[in-house]
Amino acid sequence: MSIELLFIIFVSDKCSIDIVSPKNKILRRVVNPPPVKGFKPYGPNPDLRISEPVTLFYEEYEAIRLCDYDGLNHELASIEMGISRPTFTRIYAGALQKLAVALVEGRQISIGGGQVYFDTQWYRCLGCGCHFNHPNKDQKVTHCPLCGHLHFSPIAENKSPIHLVEPGTGQRREQGVTDE
Amino acid sequence: MKAIMTSTGNHLDSKLDSRFGRCEFFVVYDTESGSVEFIPNPNKDLKEGAGIASVELVASKNPDLIISGEFGPKIKNLLDSLQIQLVVIQDTERKIQNIINLLNH
């Protein structure tokens, strides 16, 4: 694709945003943030090391992780991220294109941004009764971080102690009252 | 391992503060050296953004674990992305000394 064509697409995109406000995007759920902030090319050409980075969004990273690393199909992966299957496929296609650009042109990849929220699985310790989460999915949960008890049960997503309330709507106080 | 707790007072017999962003004191406890440090929370009277400001303060201590009675959804996402483990204790009558004893399991 020539640079002129890309520029035209970019301008037309910008214009359409100015004329009609786009629908707000649903935030995509990211369970496991990437272990690194990005990647740098190496090799004899020093220009490549300071090349303009390709920004891979968190949702695109998550799409690749779910689909190619965890081996889920698009349907299951879209449920995992809380979005529709077509949206997932679109994100995934965008992610592959960005990776291809980075590989072929020898560009840096920086991972960040996007319309996401981070989420982790919560557990309830059967020893001390506390709730805890587990930020690094690659490591297995072996014991309660507080009391070291070896028995705990996962909490369903909608029962996690934090997910009951939305930010900034004043529900939290009401929630506290009903809890008491 | 370094753990941070929210406390209502600046001594070991204080109770756990159920709020994270607007707690009275943060307690930094190091399980290896056994050191306990009480830090007054400068953000407790902020009208907005107390949680985020507190996360910045807490993250500068590089904890592995944060123990509190409640975390707001905004900071929960932030702490998840910082890969800090969260522990929610719903029993707010627990004393800091009691939690430290639990941590030394």
Side-chain angles (χ1 to χ4, degrees):
Chain A
M1 204 184 280
S2 71
I3 290 170
E4 286 88 346
L5 187 56
L6 272 175
F7 181 70
I8 291 167
I9 292 170
F10 175 75
V11 168
S12 61
D13 263 355
K14 282 274 170 210
C15 290
S16 69
I17 285 166
D18 287 340
I19 296 162
V20 199
S21 312
K23 186 177 169 290
N24 280 347
K25 282 183 177 162
I26 294 175
L27 289 185
R28 290 87 203 250
R29 190 153 72 103
V30 173
V31 175
N32 217 14
V36 291
K37 296 259 180 232
F39 297 91
K40 273 189 172 184
Y42 73 99
N45 189 347
D47 292 342
L48 290 181
R49 263 171 257 164
I50 47 164
S51 59
E52 172 94 359
V54 173
T55 305
L56 190 71
F57 293 146
Y58 279 129
E59 67 244 39
E60 291 169 331
Y61 164 83
E62 181 75 351
I64 289 178
R65 187 183 72 81
L66 290 172
C67 220
D68 296 321
Y69 189 81
D70 286 350
L72 300 182
N73 63 28
H74 287 198
E75 183 79 47
L76 291 174
S78 68
I79 295 168
E80 190 88 347
M81 285 177 75
I83 52 179
S84 74
R85 208 275 308 146
T87 306
F88 179 84
T89 304
R90 207 167 55 245
I91 291 171
Y92 183 73
L96 285 192
Q97 183 161 23
K98 282 184 181 177
L99 287 184
V101 167
L103 286 180
V104 174
E105 296 179 9
R107 305 247 299 259
Q108 300 180 45
I109 303 173
S110 80
I111 306 175
Q115 304 273 331
V116 296
Y117 67 94
F118 292 95
D119 198 11
T120 45
Q121 170 72 53
W122 282 80
Y123 301 88
R124 183 175 183 279
C125 173
L126 302 177
C128 62
C130 74
H131 294 258
F132 61 95
N133 75 347
H134 190 63
N136 193 345
K137 211 183 168 193
D138 294 336
Q139 284 170 12
K140 222 168 168 290
V141 199
T142 52
H143 59 273
C144 168
L146 189 61
C147 65
H149 206 271
L150 298 175
H151 298 282
F152 45 82
S153 58
I155 305 172
E157 193 197 319
N158 53 359
K159 285 186 184 161
S160 110
I162 282 154
H163 255 269
L164 292 166
V165 284
E166 290 296 314
T169 51
Q171 291 175 357
R172 205 181 311 171
R173 192 156 296 174
E174 290 166 23
Q175 193 72 43
V177 172
T178 50
D179 277 349
E180 285 158 21
Chain B
M1 188 180 72
K2 214 184 228 185
I4 290 189
M5 289 153 266
T6 54
S7 164
T8 50
N10 63 351
H11 50 89
L12 289 172
D13 283 334
S14 319
K15 286 175 187 165
L16 182 82
D17 202 319
S18 62
R19 304 152 304 168
F20 173 75
R22 291 186 175 80
C23 68
E24 297 286 328
F25 288 90
F26 289 110
V27 188
V28 186
Y29 176 66
D30 194 325
T31 49
E32 270 128 57
S33 64
S35 69
V36 185
E37 183 189 355
F38 286 85
I39 307 167
N41 185 2
N43 316 308
K44 64 176 181 185
D45 296 323
L46 285 185
K47 272 193 176 158
E48 257 180 56
I52 309 242
S54 299
V55 168
E56 277 174 19
L57 173 78
V58 163
S60 67
K61 302 277 172 193
N62 289 323
D64 303 291
L65 193 65
I66 298 182
I67 303 164
S68 184
E70 184 189 306
F71 296 94
K74 275 189 219 163
I75 50 168
K76 186 192 155 268
N77 295 341
L78 205 58
L79 291 167
D80 277 352
S81 64
L82 290 169
Q83 305 236 338
I84 299 173
Q85 193 167 30
L86 308 178
V87 174
V88 175
I89 299 182
Q90 272 136 350
D91 172 18
T92 51
E93 295 298 306
R94 289 240 181 160
K95 290 182 175 163
I96 297 298
Q97 181 67 60
N98 179 249
I99 297 170
I100 288 176
N101 292 345
L102 277 178
L103 279 169
N104 289 326
H105 53 260

